[in-house]
Amino acid sequence: MSDLLLTGLTVLIAEDDPLIAMELEDLLTDYGATCLAPVGSISSALTLIAASRFDVALLDVNLRGERIDPVADCLATVGTPFLFTTGYGEDGLPSAHRHRPVIAKPFSASAIVSALARHRPS
């Protein structure tokens, strides 16, 4: 199905919509990535960041009514790259992280895969 563009990449998915989270996980594994169990809350994301190793994160900007800012700040502090997934546009992004890559919702499979392939750590 794919040429496994994401082989060797471990991804954290922070998404509170279970269907979107499952679709992302399926898509990424189809392209060779390993996904940590998707998280749907800020506290779960912060716990997973502290306890796990991964290469990159996909962050919805709003998890159950809470802004993703603490998660983005934590990832920036530890030097882990991340991309935002959002339907809110640039104004919905944490102001300190507006320079980060954004994948607009609704997104296509090719948009997700190509963005991760472009922004994967070396």
Side-chain angles (χ1 to χ4, degrees), residues 13 15 17-25 60 85 105 107:
I13 300 169
E15 171 61 60
D17 183 311
L19 291 177
I20 294 173
M22 285 187 297
E23 287 177 18
L24 281 170
E25 187 173 22
D60 185 0
T85 61
K105 288 182 178 178
F107 42 73

Side-chain angles (χ1 to χ4, degrees), residues 66-89:
E66 293 184 88
R67 290 184 48 86
I68 199 71
D69 301 43
V71 175
D73 293 342
C74 181
L75 290 170
T77 298
V78 299
T80 301
F82 57 93
L83 298 87
F84 292 109
T85 61
T86 182
Y88 294 110

Side-chain angles (χ1 to χ4, degrees), residues 1-24:
M1 173 178 178
S2 73
D3 57 359
L4 301 178
L5 287 171
L6 305 179
T7 298
L9 192 66
T10 302
V11 182
L12 166 66
I13 300 169
E15 171 61 60
D16 60 348
D17 183 311
L19 291 177
I20 294 173
M22 285 187 297
E23 287 177 18
L24 281 170

